[in-house]
Amino acid sequence: DGGITQSPKYLFRKEGQNVTLSCEQNLNHDAMYWYRQDPGQGLRLIYYSQIVNDFQKGDIAEGYSVSREKKESFPLTVTSAQKNPTAFYLCASRDSGGLTRDTQYFGPGTRLTVL
Amino acid sequence: KNEVEQSPQNLTAQEGEFITINCSYSVGISALHWLQQHPGGGIVSLFMLSSGKKKHGRLIATINIQEKHSSLHITASHPRDSAVYICAVRQGGSEKLVFGKGTKLTVNP
């Protein structure tokens, strides 16, 4: 079945440690996104990539890094520079053609807790 | 002020009731999305609108571009409709979506 997978579902990290969140899609979508969700707030864009080997900062990129070496994969690293990393992280991809053009497909999310 | 405002923030209904969730935005847009987030956190895209009205099963979404307003209606609501409903807009020419804070709907049996 086609879709987006994120792993792990729950992640615990000690302060000062970097951690990488996985996002994989087999939908053949060019565009991929990382969002952060905090209680009582709308989703906020961290980074996005419209094509392999290219990505742009979103609204809250500080303390995060990404790579896009393969079309299927868009991992997010939460670095120790991120001041408040505890949040729910969602990955998404977007269909750029056909009847479902512009629809974003979301992964199940990773809940990161910093201890 | 958030660029995308949703109302109400929380909504409780009895099974079978007609539900309306509202979304107002302050910028010019190329498209508006309605999303559903289940209690486990997963998000599903319900509708994408640039004009008029769309219907899928018991769900209806409308948009008024001149008034910068959209509504999501649920007819004959059911407890399985309980979720957070999120409105998001894409500004013309932008790659980014701007999200509302969501409306938490609880439908009681």
Side-chain angles (χ1 to χ4, degrees), chain A residues 80-101:
Chain A
S80 56
Q82 168 49 232
K83 294 289 183 272
N84 186 19
T86 295
F88 187 56
Y89 290 88
L90 285 152
C91 178
S93 67
R94 180 173 65 88
D95 189 1
S96 54
L99 291 174
T100 57
R101 186 173 63 90

Side-chain angles (χ1 to χ4, degrees), chain A residues 12-23:
Chain A
F12 297 89
R13 185 195 99 177
K14 290 183 181 178
E15 267 192 62
Q17 288 181 337
N18 292 355
V19 63
T20 298
L21 281 57
S22 167
C23 177

Side-chain angles (χ1 to χ4, degrees), chain A residues 11-36:
Chain A
L11 187 57
F12 297 89
R13 185 195 99 177
K14 290 183 181 178
E15 267 192 62
Q17 288 181 337
N18 292 355
V19 63
T20 298
L21 281 57
S22 167
C23 177
E24 305 278 331
Q25 55 100 357
N26 61 4
L27 299 166
N28 200 34
H29 290 170
D30 287 313
M32 296 186 73
Y33 308 80
W34 274 105
Y35 296 99
R36 171 181 171 137

Side-chain angles (χ1 to χ4, degrees), chain A residues 4-7 20-25 32-34 68 70-76 90-93 105-107 110:
Chain A
I4 301 179
T5 57
Q6 290 184 244
S7 61
T20 298
L21 281 57
S22 167
C23 177
E24 305 278 331
Q25 55 100 357
M32 296 186 73
Y33 308 80
W34 274 105
R68 188 85 187 276
K70 297 187 299 182
K71 188 174 186 177
E72 304 79 21
S73 179
F74 191 40
L76 173 74
L90 285 152
C91 178
S93 67
Y105 295 81
F106 288 82
T110 292

Side-chain angles (χ1 to χ4, degrees), chain A residues 9 37 88 90 106-109 111, chain B residues 36-44:
Chain A
K9 190 171 176 64
Q37 187 177 38
F88 187 56
L90 285 152
F106 288 82
R111 194 167 297 279
Chain B
Q36 181 191 53
Q37 185 169 29
H38 296 284
I43 293 179
V44 173

Side-chain angles (χ1 to χ4, degrees), chain B residues 5-22:
Chain B
E5 295 281 351
Q6 288 186 235
S7 63
Q9 281 187 294
N10 293 282
L11 181 56
T12 300
Q14 288 301 119
E15 185 173 355
E17 285 185 1
F18 181 83
I19 304 291
T20 295
I21 299 171
N22 297 299

